[in-house]
Amino acid sequence: MLKSFRIGGVHPPGNKLSKGAGIVTMPVPETVVIPLSQHIGAPATAVVAKGDTVKVGQLIGKSAGFVSSNIHSSVSGTVTSIDPVVDGSGLRKPAITIRVEGDEWVDTIDRSDTLVRECTLTPSEIIARIADAGIVGMGGATFPTQVKLSVPQGKKAEFLILNGVECEPYLTADHRVLLEHGREVAVGADILCRALGVDKAYIGIEANKQDAIDYMEKVCADHPHLEVVPLKVKYPQGGEKQLIDAVLRRQVPSGALPIDVGAVVQNVGTALAVYEAVQKNKPLIERVVTVTGKSLDKPSNLKVRIGTSIRTLIDYCGGLPEDTGKVIGGGPMMGRAMANLDGPVTKGTSGVLLMRENQSLRPEAQVCIKCAKCVSVCPMGLEPYMLSKLGKHRMFAEMEPRHVTDCIECGSCAYTCPAALPLLDYIRLGKAEVMKMIRARKG
């Protein structure tokens, strides 16, 4: 029987239009814009100046604290500016713009396809190399990986879980990574286990990716500590706490972290990046991005240099369809509408979704009929209708004891609401304000 998490969940249509599209390497763009903040935590500090020449893989931004991440050049060429640029969300953020001249890589990067299995580095050496390479969570959260691997004193990691769920509709980048780079992912899992000091790892994959399940089971025959766990298709199973519940049958308490139940979760794309960093000395300079939509000519999975404009990806896949209503960064459930298609691909860009006009219009909100569907589907066991009402009326102090900070912003409540209420909008507002209150108390 397939496993799954036990609280809430919904079943939106999969729409995996690009699942059969193999990964295609995008041509190197003429210019890249590389933000200095592509991760949770402090922005990196530029270590190059306007007019400098750089190579692929060269450090251009140094991490500015424990929770931060290095930034490397994804191209070779000349730095033309170090100024704020408008990102995909429409916000101005510090970035390094590079004019591409050739494709010269730093000498230390191993660009061969030869699989390197053996790793003799110590845990601290592995974590240092991951930090040097600027690896972050590739599932979208972009939490610096070296921080996640640095288990706090008094805590103990018992299990590693690789997240191959990709439960968000439309997105298929992780699916293709498993099919085309599964051996590297498995070695990445070995390295992560070594860094954590654990001897058991699981990889959770939903049953709508049976080909990936079958392939990874073959791969894991050479990795006896790594076990494939087929999962029932249910959203948001890719959430850390939901995946831990599904795989380990352990529930993370309110306000706690996965390490509090002995688990560390890493995305399969992150495992691939860890393999490349540790075994190939390759920093995080490119990633696989799903570009998809029902009207798009060529839904694709593209290997893209960090800093490439979103518009370049869309043009490569046939151009912007006339009936496009919104372009979403990510999937339809947790993604955000993009305000600027000239914004760059970042380390956290998992997908670009082009939604038709008739898909993207929000229905007119009606009166709550108190059906409690939002309560039944909330994977965190919250009361979305109440939290939303409190947020709407700016009663933020009353939201904290109702555990609003546990909300993972999955959108299941809004998806299932028959009154089309913007539940998540008000919950997200309240959550942000409560987080400010908490930080102020601590400060």
Side-chain angles (χ1 to χ4, degrees), residues 222-439:
D222 295 328
H223 301 263
H225 65 283
L226 180 57
E227 179 183 339
V228 175
V229 181
L231 301 169
K232 180 181 178 181
V233 178
K234 187 164 67 166
Y235 178 87
Q237 197 147 235
E240 280 193 330
K241 295 180 180 180
Q242 287 68 43
L243 185 57
I244 291 168
D245 184 26
V247 172
L248 299 179
R249 277 299 183 261
R250 297 184 182 184
Q251 292 188 339
V252 181
S254 175
L257 297 171
I259 193 63
D260 292 312
V261 295
V264 174
V265 181
Q266 298 284 0
N267 177 264
V268 294
T270 308
L272 173 60
V274 165
Y275 165 80
E276 292 179 334
V278 176
Q279 304 295 75
K280 299 287 187 174
N281 293 309
K282 178 185 174 184
L284 184 48
I285 55 172
E286 58 188 357
R287 67 155 299 147
V288 180
V289 180
T290 298
V291 184
T292 185
K294 291 184 177 179
S295 294
L296 190 66
D297 283 349
K298 195 169 55 173
S300 303
N301 297 292
L302 306 175
K303 183 187 284 188
V304 185
R305 301 283 181 103
I306 302 298
T308 305
S309 77
I310 298 296
R311 192 181 302 277
T312 301
L313 274 61
I314 295 172
D315 289 343
Y316 186 83
C317 294
L320 193 71
E322 291 184 5
D323 64 351
T324 302
K326 285 182 181 177
V327 179
I328 306 294
M333 297 296 287
M334 295 187 73
R336 303 289 183 94
M338 305 191 74
N340 176 31
L341 297 186
D342 293 316
V345 169
T346 66
K347 296 177 182 181
T349 305
S350 57
V352 178
L353 169 60
L354 282 59
M355 295 188 71
R356 291 171 173 167
E357 182 73 30
N358 59 2
Q359 286 181 296
S360 62
L361 297 176
R362 177 177 287 184
E364 185 177 350
Q366 306 296 318
V367 177
C368 175
I369 62 173
K370 298 179 175 59
C371 65
K373 284 187 176 181
C374 62
V375 178
S376 67
V377 301
C378 178
M380 297 305 298
L382 305 177
E383 297 177 301
Y385 74 94
M386 179 58 71
L387 290 172
S388 177
K389 186 177 294 185
L390 293 172
K392 182 177 181 179
H393 293 286
R394 307 187 70 81
M395 299 169 69
F396 304 128
E398 296 186 28
M399 298 179 77
E400 184 177 356
R402 293 178 180 272
H403 305 290
V404 68
T405 55
D406 285 345
C407 174
I408 62 172
E409 303 182 27
C410 67
S412 296
C413 54
Y415 174 81
T416 198
C417 179
L421 294 172
L423 298 172
L424 180 56
D425 295 34
Y426 289 119
I427 294 172
R428 187 179 279 145
L429 168 66
K431 179 182 174 183
E433 292 298 323
V434 169
M435 294 296 288
K436 288 180 186 177
M437 291 161 48
I438 294 172
R439 286 194 295 270

Side-chain angles (χ1 to χ4, degrees), residues 85-142:
V85 298
V86 180
D87 68 4
S89 63
L91 301 175
R92 293 181 66 81
K93 293 183 178 179
I96 297 174
T97 302
I98 303 171
R99 182 179 64 245
V100 176
E101 297 160 354
D103 193 32
E104 186 177 358
W105 293 51
V106 296
D107 296 335
T108 54
I109 298 175
D110 179 0
R111 300 179 65 188
S112 73
D113 293 331
T114 305
L115 183 72
V116 181
R117 285 197 56 165
E118 185 179 3
C119 176
T120 58
L121 299 180
T122 66
S124 59
E125 288 172 335
I126 291 171
I127 293 172
R129 189 165 292 187
I130 288 170
D132 289 343
I135 309 299
V136 302
M138 304 283 280
T142 66

